[in-house]
Amino acid sequence: MHGPPLIGWGLVALCAAAGIYCLSRTRTGAAGERRAARGDALMGLGMAAMAVPTGALDAQPWGTAAFAAVFGAVGLHALAPARGRAEASRAHDGHQLHHAVGAFAMVYMALAMAHSPTGGHGGVHHLGAGHEPAGTPLLTGVLLVYFAVYVVRAVARIVPAPAMVPGEPPWPGSERAYGSGLTQACRLSMGIGMLAMLLTM
């Protein structure tokens, strides 16, 4: 990911905070909620690690391969059939699909940075005058559109429309399906972080 170190450290702080909060939720709630929290925590902490500016680390050649392997496995696990989750709602299943998209986006960014002129472990690089974008512009654009839509929908969940029937919540069951307001804010933060990482490739 190309860009000034300040952006990188900001993303590290944002994603690490979201990941740590999600990690604290892995021991509470129903099985589907704990599974979603584990996925959120792994994505947040993984994004924080990838956003570390390269000047702060002694990057090794195998760093990008390790990121790609770990998040490839995460993506495949998220796509695996839900075993013992008959009670899971469609929203929880949709969130697992989002985890898969996010994991494969991380794989894409890690491999793209490995083949970029500056190389590196996937962290933030300085943007030079002759910089060429890493990765495939079309795929980067598709991922940007996906995460932009995700961010807009996440904002809509945090600030819901007025209730149609007095005395009823705006979206019945939304708390159970998408988590608490703080959980949704953490997912929104990670979506914004993913957008920023893609934009600075």
Side-chain angles (χ1 to χ4, degrees):
M1 186 172 64
H2 302 269
L6 182 60
I7 293 178
W9 287 119
L11 286 174
V12 169
L14 179 71
C15 296
I20 291 170
Y21 170 74
C22 292
L23 194 63
S24 71
R25 294 176 42 244
T26 57
R27 295 179 180 274
T28 61
E33 294 171 347
R34 293 196 303 271
R35 178 186 172 98
R38 287 193 296 269
D40 289 337
L42 183 56
M43 287 301 300
L45 296 174
M47 289 172 62
M50 279 192 71
V52 174
T54 53
L57 294 177
D58 181 17
Q60 300 297 327
W62 45 261
T64 52
F67 272 115
V70 168
F71 283 100
V74 171
L76 291 174
H77 179 70
L79 288 176
R83 296 181 300 272
R85 291 196 303 134
E87 80 286 355
S89 67
R90 182 179 301 178
H92 282 133
D93 291 337
H95 192 62
Q96 289 303 115
L97 181 60
H98 171 70
H99 280 165
V101 174
F104 291 131
M106 298 284 280
V107 172
Y108 166 67
M109 286 190 283
L111 294 178
M113 296 315 303
H115 293 90
S116 70
T118 51
H121 75 292
V124 175
H125 298 267
H126 288 285
L127 185 60
H131 163 65
E132 295 182 3
T136 305
L138 178 60
L139 182 52
T140 302
V142 169
L143 289 171
L144 281 170
V145 170
Y146 172 82
F147 284 103
V149 171
Y150 177 83
V151 166
V152 170
R153 293 185 65 184
V155 170
R157 292 187 193 111
I158 294 174
V159 186
M164 298 299 294
V165 179
E168 289 188 2
W171 292 346
S174 61
E175 177 85 4
R176 176 177 178 147
Y178 298 107
S180 67
L182 188 54
T183 298
Q184 295 174 36
C186 286
R187 292 173 179 172
L188 171 62
S189 299
M190 289 190 287
I192 293 172
M194 191 70 78
L195 272 175
M197 293 173 76
L198 287 164
L199 284 170
T200 54
M201 283 182 63

